[in-house]
Amino acid sequence: MEQSASKEALLQKFAPQIEKTSFLASIWIIFLLCIIGVGVYAFICQVTQGHIVTGMRDNVVWGIYIVNFIFFMGMSYAGAIISGALHLFRTEWRKPIIRMAEYLAIISLLIGPGYILLCIGRLDRLYYLALFGRIQSPITWDVIAISTDIFGCLIFLYLSILRDIANLRDFKELKVPQWRKKLYSFLSLGYTGTPEQEKRLRRATDIMAAMVIAIAIIVYSVLAWIFSVTLQPGWHSTIFGPYFVIAAVYSGTGVLILTMYVFRKAYHLEHFVTRKHFVAMGVVMVVLAALFGYFTFSDYLTKWYGSEKNDESLIKILFSQYYWSFIFSNYIGVLVPLLVVGIPKLRTIPNITFSALIVVVALWFNRYLIVIPTLESPYLPIQDSRPEYLLYSGTWVEYALMAAGVALFCLLFTLASKFVPVINVSEMSDAPRDQREEGLFNTEESLL
Amino acid sequence: MKEENQKENRKSSRRQFLKKGLIAGAGVVAGGSLIGAIVNKNKPDSGEKVTALTTTGELIEVDKAQIRSPRVSISESHNGIPGRKFVMVIDLAKCKNARKCVDSCQKGHHLPKDQEFMKVYFLQDSDKSAPYWFPKPCFHCDNPLCVSVCPVGATFKRSDGIVLIDTERCIGCKFCMTGCPYSTRVFAWKEYPEFKEDKEQYSPEASSPGKEGTVAKCDFCPDLVRIGKLPYCAQNCPMGVIYFGDIDEDTVTNGNETLKFSELIRDRAGYRYLEVLGTRPSVYYLPPVERQFPVDSGFNGLEESIKARYKNTPYGKNHKL
Amino acid sequence: MKTIKSPIFIILLTVLLTNITILDAQEKKDTVTSIVPTISFSYLNLSNDSIVLTANLFVKKDQGVFAIQNAVIEFIAKGGNESKKIGQAITDDEGNAIIKVYAKTGLPLDKEGKSIFTAKFSTKGKYLSASESISAKQAKLSVNFSKVDSVRYILVTATQVDSKGMIKPIGKIPVTINVPRLFTPLKIGEITLEEDGTGKFEYPGNIVGDSVGNIIVIAKIEENDLFGNVQGQSSISWGIPKQYYLAEMPTRELWTPIAPLWMIVTLITMLTGVWAHYIYAIIQLVFIKRSSRPKKL
């Protein structure tokens, strides 16, 4: 059978990734562990000395932690929406990158909530959320929504790696320890690809793909409502729900492109992840850039035009002490992908990756500008408090924990890629729906 | 000059005492009043009999400013003082940033210097409008957003209108701090040594001892109100800026004068701060009209570090504080 | 004996003298550490033949006022040449020692019908003694109510007992009209009594009473040089019934412990919808697992 042969060939190609860890990869993992170690030390400092070690004070009560929380959750929702949508629309070019999107969804979803925990003063009382939870509080909505989302994403990921796990189980030449083989065998649920099994799996995956998209939108809106239900000028905005969702998918697309680039280089996937995929994702990113720019513009335009006193003071802060971050996040972060991907000549892989990097950093600053300047310009001007309470700047503890989060993200991605290939082997080996067997690997073929 | 001041002080304290005596008497006759209950415990039935209380012989000095009712338990503190609805009126015309409200409150609640339940702002609504001192306690809103957003019910509103925080329940998510549009709440960023000064059992009514990693705020001092004393800020304001009372009873007092709340608000055009937000505060302000002293006298005698806090105000910038 | 001039005696004397000076110095030190307390004394005639005497014992230090608790305060009444101990009380945690004296028990009076009341604290430990006196003549205030053509009046009468034991009116004296409140009484008016010791005050009509509208009206003579503090009271149901602002705490507001109904319904609906799909997907997996079994066997 041609199909199984190609599957075998693919597995043959990806086996080394799974079987052994190269010297460089070991260094990489140790490096990540070191960064995480520093983060753990910072965390211990925070627990033993109190939140005084952070830059947060009575006015700016939420700092980089919340920014990172929004950022990682955004990546997760982006992963979920992209993988769900690509799956549902049966897009042909999805196949090599859908696994990465799924990993992105679940890994950042595991890291994100950690940041909100860092923000909590009494971690020892965390279970009160379940014990005394009040339904009126958006935090409760968030707790329910995020835990539901984690379950959904895990089920969706499992459904999509099931066939690959079964493949790995059946791939006898795989040189991995016995326990891993047993694990594959256990996790594969005895999937052998009978028509009935295939039908059921497809049905479940379709349902979950739709659910994951819906939940991602709801969950990220809930996150936005944490801010917009308050009366703070700058947060109290009806547009925040959709704005956050779009910003999330936008930044997540950027992260996905970066991931594609890194894995392409690290695992030599040039043959699978091609310029076509970068361009395709780039186009998605451009659409989102336009939407993001539109939402950002709407939000700030109405604030500026109406110029209510408190909105005005917020805009003033944004255009004075946060001038460059504002320009970077809301102008450069939108224009760079529009130009790079918009002009066909510029659509090279490094260019698209570069603009994705800009997008990711810009969107981190965008969140920073949503959280911190608002807290620095409350209704009552910040007065009669100690000078060190006036303005926020993160401390080493916060940045160490931020770095640790990024390192953990990279580490989990690395480990996940060592468990099940980052390329969806079984989907790749499925016959293309439009019967253009060559098309998939044709790097020169243009998009659309 | 100084002597005169002292004399005056003594005089006024004597007058205050006489008044207190009167209050106590009123309590005795009214019978049902809280004060009466306290006073009665030492009162003999007739002049011929001597009080039956045995003395241990030990004389104890008690800080008068610190006397309050025995602390109620956490569950009891969820119930308001029955039949009361507290209100505060702050007369901006009289405030000159003497900061006795801040200091006495911090002392009474065993707060570190970084944590202030009461803050005094120096506001100027626009360039050409006049600046004024603006003491700001918790507004104890009737539609409290801080209570709405609390995920664990650690902050709650009672039947007497007081919004309290249970630091045994608080998880420290700080959502209430962002929810409050008046920046009223403070966070215990570390274990402050001042928290350990208070050896008594914790009660939300006393907001003391504080707890690391939890939120705290002005509590309208229900532990003082229970024994018929005014909150620390109202008790200790030398200018009588802060009036406190029961809105259902239509009466507020600053300790020296007792006024009808409705008439005070009517005659002095009392208002609530940022009414537009719909939080329905329990604190009313009287506009700073016909002030008895220039506004910048509020900077007199301030510590440099306190003065520096007003550097960023429009006035502070113009006058190079 | 008188002229013993032995050196031993001289030595003894010098030792004694130096000792005395040392003792003296020690005593002086003691006076420095001993504390002078202050008594603040108040007199209140309740008109029902009883007088409340309140002595407050306190010390001032470190810019604060500290009450002395557990101190015994002795109360003495003096009139003419007669002096009588009328009671004693122990100060409470606010430093207050309070006694109630019945005027009918025969207080010593001077020719003008005045008595001098003294509150005395005797030296104890490091606290030195203190005392404070007030002189006052007995008086009586009574409050009555009348309604003339739907106008409501508060009637106040003040009387005193002269040296012959005759009851006489107190005229031309300022009296305040008050209603008791949570903290301090609310003054609703002020009148000066006529020559005949009576006064009339139009009831303002907008006074909040208790839940059924009862109010207590207290007439007061305050800090009078002759009579001290005198008050009389009476109650009537002229008040506006007290409306409790939060008589019924709302139950399903955002800030109450229980959430609004729509919120609970929405949440349950959404969660059921989502988890039903999850369960559907998991059931599919169970079926996949099950379908693989016969093959294995």
Side-chain angles (χ1 to χ4, degrees):
Chain A
M1 274 177 74
E2 202 187 301
Q3 189 189 334
S4 73
S6 75
K7 187 159 64 184
E8 289 286 308
L10 282 167
L11 282 171
Q12 201 78 54
K13 182 158 172 49
F14 293 127
Q17 290 173 25
I18 293 174
E19 282 166 349
K20 52 183 179 234
T21 309
S22 67
F23 177 68
L24 221 60
S26 309
I27 298 260
W28 168 242
I29 289 173
I30 289 166
F31 168 70
L32 292 176
L33 284 173
C34 286
I35 295 178
I36 294 169
V38 174
V40 170
Y41 174 71
F43 178 65
I44 290 169
C45 281
Q46 182 176 315
V47 168
T48 52
Q49 294 168 41
H51 281 222
I52 196 86
V53 297
T54 68
M56 299 183 282
R57 288 298 180 269
D58 284 346
N59 294 301
V60 184
V61 293
W62 288 344
I64 290 177
Y65 291 153
I66 290 287
V67 175
N68 286 337
F69 170 63
I70 308 173
F71 186 70
F72 275 99
M73 296 311 279
M75 275 154 58
S76 161
Y77 303 140
I81 289 175
I82 294 167
S83 58
L86 291 183
H87 177 88
L88 278 184
F89 295 127
R90 310 265 188 270
T91 324
E92 204 50 53
W93 53 266
R94 79 180 187 276
K95 289 178 176 176
I97 60 172
I98 195 163
R99 173 70 38 81
M100 290 183 208
E102 286 154 2
Y103 276 163
L104 179 66
I106 191 71
I107 290 171
S108 41
L109 191 54
L110 295 176
I111 297 170
Y115 280 107
I116 208 160
L117 298 187
L118 290 176
C119 233
I120 282 180
R122 309 261 345 171
L123 278 175
D124 52 326
R125 296 179 182 165
L126 201 59
Y127 64 95
Y128 285 7
L129 283 171
L131 215 57
F132 306 111
R134 285 175 78 251
I135 289 172
Q136 295 97 311
S137 171
I139 297 241
T140 311
W141 307 346
D142 216 23
V143 170
I144 295 173
I146 290 176
S147 41
T148 306
D149 193 37
I150 289 179
F151 268 101
C153 284
L154 279 175
I155 295 173
F156 184 56
L157 178 72
Y158 184 63
L159 289 171
S160 94
I161 62 173
L162 184 64
R163 290 206 291 167
D164 276 2
I165 290 177
N167 286 342
L168 286 167
R169 176 200 60 199
D170 298 338
F171 185 57
K172 298 286 179 256
E173 296 142 62
L174 195 67
K175 294 183 214 60
V176 291
Q178 202 56 38
W179 66 268
R180 286 259 308 253
K181 288 200 168 170
K182 272 191 185 149
L183 189 64
Y184 287 135
S185 166
F186 172 75
L187 287 175
S188 66
L189 297 180
Y191 183 86
T192 44
T194 64
E196 195 217 338
Q197 281 180 332
E198 207 164 299
K199 203 179 100 197
R200 287 195 184 279
L201 183 65
R202 174 146 297 230
R203 210 188 276 159
T205 317
D206 283 354
I207 286 276
M208 283 314 293
M211 278 332 282
V212 157
I213 294 175
I215 294 163
I217 290 172
I218 294 169
V219 176
Y220 214 63
S221 302
V222 166
L223 202 158
W225 293 335
I226 286 192
F227 296 93
S228 58
V229 296
T230 68
L231 294 169
Q232 302 292 346
W235 286 357
H236 191 51
S237 159
T238 49
I239 213 174
F240 255 38
Y243 181 33
F244 267 51
V245 173
I246 290 298
V249 186
Y250 184 38
S251 65
T253 314
V255 176
L256 188 59
I257 291 173
L258 291 182
T259 318
M260 280 156 60
Y261 185 80
V262 170
F263 277 119
R264 187 171 182 267
K265 284 269 181 270
Y267 290 149
H268 307 291
L269 305 175
E270 287 85 353
H271 197 57
F272 302 96
V273 183
T274 62
R275 178 169 165 266
K276 180 191 156 171
H277 299 102
F278 279 90
V279 172
M281 283 315 293
V283 169
V284 173
M285 192 166 74
V286 165
V287 173
L288 290 166
L291 278 171
F292 170 77
Y294 160 70
F295 273 104
T296 310
F297 185 71
S298 305
D299 196 33
Y300 286 115
L301 173 81
T302 46
K303 281 192 182 94
W304 173 81
Y305 203 105
S307 73
E308 202 192 315
K309 190 178 169 188
N310 299 288
D311 287 337
E312 204 185 343
S313 67
L314 175 69
I315 301 275
K316 212 167 157 187
I317 290 182
L318 286 175
F319 278 98
S320 54
Q321 63 202 87
Y322 292 104
Y323 183 75
W324 284 111
S325 10
F326 189 82
I327 295 294
F328 177 67
S329 70
N330 296 330
Y331 287 78
I332 296 174
V334 174
L335 292 176
V336 166
L338 278 177
L339 291 176
V340 169
V341 188
I343 300 167
K345 269 193 183 168
L346 295 177
R347 285 179 195 164
T348 63
I349 292 177
N351 277 356
I352 293 174
T353 311
F354 172 74
S355 61
L357 182 68
I358 296 280
V359 167
V360 172
V361 180
L363 265 281
W364 188 88
F365 275 102
N366 173 266
R367 275 64 176 268
Y368 190 93
L369 293 183
I370 286 173
V371 175
I372 283 121
T374 292
L375 289 172
E376 283 176 351
S377 61
Y379 277 107
L380 272 156
I382 298 178
Q383 275 182 21
D384 193 10
S385 52
R386 322 232 133 217
E388 66 268 26
Y389 276 42
L390 292 182
L391 293 173
Y392 172 83
S393 60
T395 59
W396 74 269
V397 173
E398 288 166 281
Y399 284 111
L401 280 161
M402 178 177 164
V406 176
L408 187 63
F409 175 81
C410 298
L411 182 70
L412 287 178
F413 235 115
T414 313
L415 294 180
S417 73
K418 300 220 154 285
F419 184 67
V420 177
V422 286
I423 303 281
N424 195 328
V425 173
S426 40
E427 289 220 352
M428 292 290 285
S429 52
D430 282 348
R433 268 157 52 97
D434 57 359
Q435 302 302 313
R436 280 182 297 137
E437 294 188 24
E438 296 291 308
L440 193 61
F441 303 104
N442 188 349
T443 48
E444 297 309 313
E445 194 195 33
S446 65
L447 184 82
L448 306 173
Chain B
M1 179 78 183
K2 210 177 171 186
E3 238 180 58
E4 248 177 49
N5 261 343
Q6 273 180 343
K7 253 186 202 165
E8 236 179 56
N9 270 340
R10 211 173 297 154
K11 233 180 165 177
S12 72
S13 77
R14 181 177 154 73
R15 194 170 304 138
Q16 265 184 4
F17 173 73
L18 279 167
K19 277 206 172 141
K20 271 185 192 164
L22 288 179
I23 306 158
V28 173
V29 270
S33 155
L34 289 161
I35 314 143
I38 299 291
V39 172
N40 271 335
K41 75 180 177 199
N42 270 9
K43 192 192 65 176
D45 289 342
S46 84
E48 301 307 312
K49 285 184 204 160
V50 170
T51 170
L53 270 177
T54 52
T55 166
T56 53
E58 193 91 9
L59 298 190
I60 303 165
E61 276 179 27
V62 188
D63 190 343
K64 275 194 158 183
Q66 301 294 315
I67 297 166
R68 54 178 160 227
S69 72
R71 291 185 181 171
V72 303
S73 69
I74 293 174
S75 61
E76 221 173 310
S77 72
H78 279 253
N79 309 318
I81 299 171
R84 301 286 177 192
K85 171 76 173 73
F86 295 108
V87 67
M88 189 180 270
V89 179
I90 297 177
D91 186 352
L92 299 178
K94 288 193 273 190
C95 179
K96 61 168 209 170
N97 197 27
R99 302 189 74 80
K100 290 284 178 283
C101 53
V102 183
D103 297 341
S104 61
C105 172
Q106 287 194 307
K107 199 176 160 200
H109 292 101
H110 302 279
L111 293 178
K113 265 208 143 185
D114 285 349
Q115 273 193 319
E116 287 135 340
F117 286 176
M118 178 67 106
K119 283 194 167 136
V120 185
Y121 285 78
F122 189 54
L123 296 185
Q124 186 173 12
D125 298 334
S126 66
D127 289 347
K128 295 277 185 254
S129 66
Y132 54 94
W133 295 101
F134 184 84
K136 191 210 64 188
C138 170
F139 288 170
H140 296 270
C141 307
D142 286 341
N143 182 22
L145 198 65
C146 52
V147 176
S148 298
V149 300
C150 179
V152 292
T155 180
F156 52 88
K157 187 169 179 68
R158 325 197 296 176
S159 63
D160 57 5
I162 295 181
V163 175
L164 290 182
I165 300 168
D166 175 2
T167 57
E168 298 283 342
R169 174 74 66 86
C170 177
I171 60 165
C173 69
K174 306 169 203 156
F175 196 4
C176 55
M177 298 182 78
T178 62
C180 175
Y182 308 109
S183 318
T184 285
R185 294 176 164 239
V186 294
F187 191 74
W189 295 100
K190 63 176 179 189
E191 183 68 49
Y192 293 100
E194 285 84 351
F195 291 166
K196 295 197 182 86
E197 283 171 10
D198 188 359
K199 306 276 184 238
E200 278 178 78
Q201 194 202 337
Y202 168 76
S203 168
E205 284 206 348
S207 300
S208 176
K211 207 160 254 122
E212 189 212 323
T214 61
V215 178
K217 69 165 185 70
C218 155
D219 53 11
F220 266 11
C221 302
D223 54 338
L224 295 182
V225 175
R226 275 187 197 273
I227 55 164
K229 285 176 114 188
L230 289 170
Y232 294 114
C233 51
Q235 251 183 59
N236 291 288
C237 178
M239 301 293 151
V241 170
I242 301 168
Y243 295 81
F244 189 77
D246 178 357
I247 198 169
D248 293 340
E249 215 175 52
D250 197 22
T251 307
V252 287
T253 180
N254 63 358
N256 279 328
E257 56 175 344
T258 305
L259 301 168
K260 280 191 80 173
F261 169 78
S262 54
E263 279 173 12
L264 182 65
I265 295 299
R266 184 194 66 201
D267 297 343
R268 296 283 312 279
Y271 67 98
R272 299 190 290 193
Y273 191 67
L274 286 177
E275 185 79 69
V276 68
L277 296 179
T279 47
R280 305 207 291 277
S282 296
V283 175
Y284 289 74
Y285 285 94
L286 304 178
V289 289
E290 288 167 17
R291 286 185 260 197
Q292 292 150 9
F293 25 73
V295 72
D296 46 356
S297 66
F299 290 112
N300 295 346
L302 286 189
E303 275 173 43
E304 274 312 307
S305 64
I306 304 281
K307 218 175 193 174
R309 299 176 177 196
Y310 299 105
K311 255 185 190 152
N312 275 343
T313 62
Y315 182 90
K317 277 176 193 156
N318 290 339
H319 292 73
K320 304 230 159 44
L321 268 183
Chain C
M1 284 282 277
K2 257 185 182 176
T3 51
I4 295 173
K5 280 185 177 173
S6 77
I8 300 164
F9 179 71
I10 290 166
I11 291 165
L12 247 165
L13 200 75
T14 33
V15 169
L16 214 79
L17 276 173
T18 40
N19 258 352
I20 285 169
T21 42
I22 289 166
L23 276 174
D24 218 312
Q26 273 174 349
E27 246 175 37
K28 264 182 191 160
K29 258 186 199 167
D30 279 351
T31 24
V32 172
T33 49
S34 61
I35 297 164
V36 188
T38 315
I39 287 185
S40 188
F41 192 30
S42 83
Y43 165 96
L44 173 67
N45 190 332
L46 291 179
S47 295
N48 54 356
D49 285 327
S50 59
I51 295 162
V52 175
L53 296 174
T54 310
N56 185 274
L57 187 67
F58 61 93
V59 289
K60 272 186 184 170
K61 63 175 184 187
D62 309 332
Q63 294 175 325
V65 179
F66 293 83
I68 302 175
Q69 205 186 334
N70 285 338
V72 179
I73 306 283
E74 216 175 1
F75 294 91
I76 296 154
K78 202 177 147 194
N81 297 324
E82 197 187 343
S83 180
K84 188 177 173 188
K85 182 182 166 186
I86 48 173
Q88 72 178 39
I90 294 161
T91 55
D92 62 11
D93 55 359
E94 290 194 69
N96 285 325
I98 303 164
I99 64 162
K100 201 170 180 182
V101 187
Y102 284 85
K104 279 182 178 167
T105 52
L107 286 169
L109 302 173
D110 67 5
K111 274 181 264 170
E112 293 160 22
K114 276 163 77 174
S115 310
I116 298 167
F117 298 93
T118 308
K120 227 171 93 182
F121 168 70
S122 311
T123 314
K124 176 140 199 195
K126 56 182 177 174
Y127 300 97
L128 298 181
S129 63
S131 78
E132 179 79 35
S133 299
I134 286 179
S135 88
K137 189 179 180 186
Q138 289 204 40
K140 208 169 190 173
L141 270 177
S142 63
V143 178
N144 286 295
F145 304 95
S146 84
K147 200 169 175 181
V148 182
D149 297 335
S150 79
V151 181
R152 296 176 292 189
Y153 293 102
I154 296 166
L155 307 173
V156 183
T157 318
T159 54
Q160 58 181 324
V161 182
D162 71 358
S163 52
K164 290 163 197 160
M166 296 286 286
I167 294 173
K168 274 181 147 184
I170 308 172
K172 294 285 169 210
I173 193 163
V175 172
T176 60
I177 316 284
N178 306 271
V179 286
R181 286 299 189 233
L182 172 60
F183 295 103
T184 46
L186 172 69
K187 190 163 92 179
I188 57 171
E190 198 164 4
I191 50 171
T192 304
L193 299 187
E194 306 291 326
E195 257 342 311
D196 62 353
T198 60
K200 200 157 101 172
F201 176 70
E202 195 183 323
Y203 178 72
N206 55 354
I207 308 295
V208 178
D210 64 8
S211 55
V212 289
N214 289 323
I215 52 163
I216 296 167
V217 175
I218 303 173
K220 280 184 189 176
I221 297 172
E222 287 174 57
E223 290 180 56
N224 187 279
D225 289 339
L226 189 57
F227 303 104
N229 295 308
V230 185
Q231 70 176 45
Q233 62 163 349
S234 197
S235 101
I236 193 154
S237 59
W238 282 354
I240 301 164
K242 188 172 176 178
Q243 300 288 320
Y244 294 109
Y245 191 89
L246 283 176
E248 276 175 35
M249 284 279 277
T251 46
R252 284 184 181 277
E253 293 289 320
L254 271 176
W255 52 270
T256 50
I258 311 168
L261 208 59
W262 72 263
M263 204 175 255
I264 297 172
V265 171
T266 311
L267 189 79
I268 291 174
T269 316
M270 285 178 77
L271 278 178
T272 323
V274 170
W275 281 91
H277 286 85
Y278 286 8
I279 290 164
Y280 176 81
I282 291 167
I283 288 171
Q284 298 305 315
L285 285 173
V286 172
F287 274 119
I288 289 172
K289 175 87 184 162
R290 215 175 262 174
S291 68
S292 72
R293 265 180 203 153
K295 266 189 186 171
K296 270 189 176 174
L297 289 168

